[in-house]
Structure formats: structure tokens, C-alpha cells
Amino acid sequence: MDFTKALSERILVCDGAMGTMLHAAGNSLDRALPELNLSNPELVSTVHESYVGAGVDILLTNTFGANRLRLAEHGSSLNVRDINLAGVRLARQARRGVDRTIFVGGSVSPAVSASQRQSVRADERVEVIRDQVRALVDGGVDLLVLETFGYLDELVEAVAVTAELTDLPILAQATFTAEGVTPGGESPREVASALAGQPVAALGANCTVGPQRMLTVVEELRRYSTLPISAQPNAGLPRRIGRRFEYSVEGDYFSQYARRYVEQGTSIVGGCCGTTPTHIRDIVAKLADLRPKQQRRPEPAPRRQVVQPEHGRLAQRLGQRRFVVAAQISPPAGGDAQEATELTAMLRKHGIDLVFVAARESARAQVSSVSLALHVEREVGAETIATLTTWDKTIMTLQADLLGVHAFGMRTVVCETGNPPLRGDYPNADGIWEVDSVGLIQLLAGLNDGRDCNGLTLATKTSFHIGARFNPGAEDRDAELARTRAKIAAGAQFLISRPVYEADALVGMLAELSNEDIPVLMAVSPLAGFAEAEYLAHEVPDVRIPRAALSALETAGDRGREVGLELARALLDEARPLVQGVVLVMRDGRKLADFLPLVEAPDSGQAL
């Protein structure tokens, strides 16, 4: 009998888990289970025959994951075609001598596991699916079952390549999390919409969730699709007992939900992880008196409201091409935020309402730059811009912090790799980085696109304005230029320099970056005297202090602060036509009065 005709006439029961049964027989889930088609065909046949005995209408081949990439991930070098042909042969043999129609479905998994997804191109995924489907078709399957697809783009790819190779019916099944979306973040409505009009005979869901959560998914798929619907949930959540996994959902409970699926319009019911022939036998009995429901017209998908992203003051002023004047403060050692709050309030009184909060490289107790920025903005009202460093933080921690500060209203972040503080007898002890500043920028850009660090879709997009540091005084100028360009390519939307003490290096680097069309803010920190200048010039890497400046400060004596301000003023006058703003870096122990001579009649922080 034709599969499509049978689908319209009766409820079809698919088999249950193959992996669970093979695991129960002593095979590790870490091995390539499809390889058993060749190494232990008797065991695979026994599983098939037990499902035939339970009364199934669809028998799936033991070929889930039987493609080149997934087999290689498990260390198997056996021939993909041989494994798939053997899988079809064993399933077809199991239905011999049975006096009812049993369809053999060729099981096809996503080309790659979630961990491989980022490193494998779409065209390679397509070729992997193509090779497996061709073998299954040549082996003689009655339909192709694309199952457990967590990413909609991969499911659409698999449908397209399968339809190119064969006219056999295609059952396309996505997998959904307990939140009701795929691991890729797509809703049942989006899955149904994407596959509407595609050459598929049925649409469904399998794996990941148990019977109750699957019911919600089935209802949504049915609401938005005219295709026959399939449902193959897990037998609840697994628990580990020794080296084995066991599932606790009994067949009676499972079959009750199977009946509810059919009552909601489902046409194919079966089981996934944890289900056994006992579960399937109970389903067959529970559905014996039911027939397929007439297809309904799907409901129109609701239109999404497009929300324009919010932008902070810095992004607005740069967009308006207004010269920006900002200040940079550091978290005070000891954890007291009051000093920073008072300083920011004084800055605002003098017209500076954009404040960068640097990350302090100290082993002493201190408020984090992000927490301080949020506190100061709430207390004072100035826009604060946190510097976020990546050292000793996992990407998951960084992501959680970013989503948190975005929820609190922070919109601008400066990305740095950062350096761990030097401690004790091991001054060169390194930190642990999962990503550097380039990776952090990529993370922010992804969040702005509505994707998390794993490429999964978020409930909403963030609207971060992404900044990055660059150092005009770097000893290796070419390496610094290459790294700065990498930050821009990753998604940086503005640059802020390390403190600049001479114009030539800045002018040269800005000339090299002129084709990047990105706003640049220059950080300026007036020198307090010769001692500071000498220390920076000789003991701090990648800082350039001109000889003329060192000489002027050395001869200035008690007038060191005054001369330092004069040098900073001259630098600003020279650099102003080349940059879009200036950031006054307020170092420890400096008073606001040390910086005010650099500000002339400020107009909301915009004039110098």
C-alpha cells in the first residue's frame, strides 16, 4: 500500500527507541550504534522483530547518525554506504511473513551534532545528507524520516536534498525543548511555516521532551499546518543508574498521551528515547478505535511587531557627528562606590554626562566595572559605559552578565581581554580565557542579532553599542593594526584609544584605519609630572612619551602638573580634527580640578 494513502485512511504507529534497546543490551551510548548493523546484525534484527511483534506500522532503520561526520565523531571508519544498506536490509527482513503492511522508514539525523555545527559549512552538511539518503533509497526504504532536527535551516536543507534524490514520501521531524522551541530557537509555528509548500508528506516532532510537553508542540504544529502531524516523545527524563540510563514513564501513561495526540489531529504516533516495545504495544491498543481527523485550515501566523533598538547617548552623538567629551573613572579599591558616585556627579555639573568605567587590574577587593557603572548611572543619571574584560570568565558567564546589564538598561560596552593582577611569588601567573576581546565582540554582535554564544535564537535581540580598545603606542604597529581590524570585523562599532601622549603614532594609525569608517575616541591623561612620565616611558610596555615631553617635565620642577596640562592641551588641538571625541582618563588620586582646564565652556559635554 502507498504510504500517503495509508496515512489518510488510518492512524500509523511508528516504532520506539532503537538506541535505548541497544544500550539495554550492553552497548555504550558513546559508540556508533549504526555500526552494529554490520558487527552485530542479530541484535539489531531482534530489536526490529520485537517492534513488529508490538504491532507497528512503521519500522525505522538503525541509521540515525549513520553519516560520515557523525560516524567519524565516534571514531568509526566503516563505510557509510555499507552501514546504511545493512540497516535497510535488516528492517526489511524483520517485516517478512507479516500479514499487514509495515513501512520501512530510512532514519536520517542532522548531518552534525550541535557541537560540530559551527565548524561545518552548509554545503558540506548537504553533501553528508546526500550520501546517506542515496544509500537508504538504494537499499529500498519506503519513506525517508528526517528526525531530531534542532535547527530549522538544517531541516530545510535536508528536505531539499532528499527531494532532489527521490520521490519517496518524506517525514520531517524537528525536536523541541521544554520551552516549546527548537534548540535553534524556532517555534512550532515557524517550523510549520518554513515547511509549508515543501515536498514533505508529514511534519512532526520527536525526542527531547516527554509525553506532556509534546502535546503542546503537537497542538501548535496542528494549528499552523495542513500536513499530517507525527509525534514521537521520549519516555520522560532519564536517570543514571551506574553506567546505564533508565526512563520511568510507564506504557499506560505514555499511551494515554498518544491518544490525546490523535484526538488533537496527529496521524503518526510513536516513541523516541526510553520507549520500548511495551510502550508501543500499549499505544497500538489505545489507538485501535481511532481514525485520522479531517485536516483543518491552518491559522494565519501573527505578525511580529518590529521594535526599533534603543541607543545610548554616545551612539546618538556619534551618529549626529557631534564631538564627544567623556571621562573615564576606575572602580575604587576597597569596594566603596561612594567616591565614584561623587566624582561622576561633579563631572555632570561641569557638563560631562558620559562616563566610562574602566576595569581595574588589582587583586584588592573592588566593585566590578559593570556593577559600578549600573550603580553610578542609577544614582547620578549620567550615562555610564562599562569596560568588560574576558580574563577568568567563561563565555557563558560573560553572556549572562551582558543579558543582565542589558535588562537594566545599559547599552554601551567596551570590550577588553584584560590582564589578571600580579600576585605574590608568581608575577607571571596567567589567567584563563575562554574568549579574548575579539570573541567578546563577536558574542555581543550575536546577541544584537538575536543569537546566543551557541548560535541559538534568543527571545529578543539586544541593542548594544560595541566599543573596542586600540593602542597607538604599541611597539608592534602592524600586529596592533591587524588586531584592531579583527575587532572591527567582529562587530566593533567604535574605537577608544589607550591614553595617548604624542600625536605621531595616533596620526599614523588613524591613516591606516581611514578606510574602516568607524568613529574613534582618543583617551587623554595629563601627566602629573616627570616621575609619572619617566615611569610610563621606561616601565610600562607599549607607552610612548616623546623626548620633548620628558625634558619639559623634568625641567618643570614644581610646575609639573601645569606643564602636563599644557602638553595635553597641545595634543588635543593637534588630534581633534582626526577623532570624533575625547575621553579624559581620571587616574587614582587626581582631582577633577586637574582636568577642568581642558574643558572650555562645556555644552552638555560636547565642547572642548
Side-chain angles (χ1 to χ4, degrees), residues 261-278:
Y261 302 154
V262 175
E263 290 171 347
Q264 292 299 317
T266 300
S267 301
I268 303 172
V269 180
C272 204
C273 301
T275 57
T276 66
T278 299

